[in-house]
Amino acid sequence: MHTEQGSSDRKVTSPSMNPYVSIAPDVKLGQDVKLSKFVNLYGCEVGDESKIGAFVEIQKNATVGKRCKISSHTFICEGVTIEDNVFIGHGVMFINDMFPRATTDGQLQTEADWKVERTVIKKGASLGTGVTVLANVTVGENAIVGAGSVVTKDVPANSIVVGNPAKVVRYIDKSMEAGK
């Protein structure tokens, strides 16, 4: 894929080079980003050395930091910020609207009819396969969210949460990290 050098970003100028990816011209890709087939990126930013798996969609006004791994079948909607060194498992879903509706006064909604709710995944966090993250949530630095969990409120830094709704089961300490 051809790229055009920007300040510290790369902007895609010829996504048609690979028929298996859909990358809008307004996407900013960092250095050495790896893209699998069947990704859909528009209006977003992806940081240096990140890897985006197959069947991932990243919407406008979403940001993925440096050295992140976004596994297949994940949906990252508008308003999501993923900081550096984050792992996102397979099939993770983000939600950016607390009160979703198809219509307003009998008419299909437009962007003017709803407000994007923000979500932040802090540096070094890991989200397991099948996690759902509701809007207006921050997952703390180095936190781990267990597979299948539904995150409905903020997750403390260095914690491990599981379940629906996700609850803290313990905190990561230095001895756990050293045992890797």
Side-chain angles (χ1 to χ4, degrees):
M1 134 179 19
H2 293 295
T3 58
E4 173 185 296
Q5 288 287 16
S7 53
S8 64
D9 297 317
R10 301 179 113 187
K11 187 173 179 182
V12 175
T13 57
S14 292
S16 61
M17 295 293 291
N18 183 341
Y20 300 108
V21 297
S22 176
I23 304 173
D26 58 354
V27 170
K28 293 181 182 175
L29 294 178
Q31 298 282 335
D32 300 320
V33 170
K34 292 179 178 44
L35 301 174
S36 295
K37 290 182 178 180
F38 309 111
V39 298
N40 185 23
L41 310 177
Y42 51 97
C44 62
E45 294 184 33
V46 179
D48 298 346
E49 301 174 20
S50 287
K51 181 178 177 184
I52 310 297
F55 303 104
V56 168
E57 179 171 340
I58 306 176
Q59 292 187 325
K60 67 180 182 179
N61 302 318
T63 302
V64 174
K66 296 177 182 178
R67 294 170 304 283
C68 292
K69 181 177 179 186
I70 311 298
S71 301
S72 70
H73 299 88
T74 290
F75 175 69
I76 302 170
C77 56
E78 181 176 5
V80 173
T81 298
I82 297 172
E83 295 184 353
D84 298 343
N85 306 318
V86 169
F87 172 81
I88 305 291
H90 300 279
V92 172
M93 299 293 146
F94 292 89
I95 297 169
N96 64 0
D97 187 352
M98 293 300 290
F99 304 100
R101 294 282 186 235
T103 60
T104 299
D105 298 325
Q107 301 295 313
L108 279 177
Q109 281 194 350
T110 67
E111 287 190 29
D113 295 315
W114 64 284
K115 176 183 163 230
V116 172
E117 307 288 346
R118 299 281 173 200
T119 297
V120 178
I121 310 301
K122 295 292 215 174
K123 180 179 173 186
S126 293
L127 279 60
T129 293
V131 166
T132 299
V133 182
L134 298 186
N136 290 321
V137 166
T138 297
V139 174
E141 202 167 301
N142 300 313
I144 298 173
V145 179
S149 296
V150 177
V151 180
T152 61
K153 61 184 181 179
D154 290 350
V155 174
N158 301 304
S159 67
I160 300 173
V161 299
V162 298
N164 180 5
K167 295 184 178 176
V168 175
V169 293
R170 68 178 179 219
Y171 285 86
I172 300 167
D173 62 26
K174 301 263 189 232
S175 63
M176 287 176 70
E177 289 292 309
K180 282 188 177 177

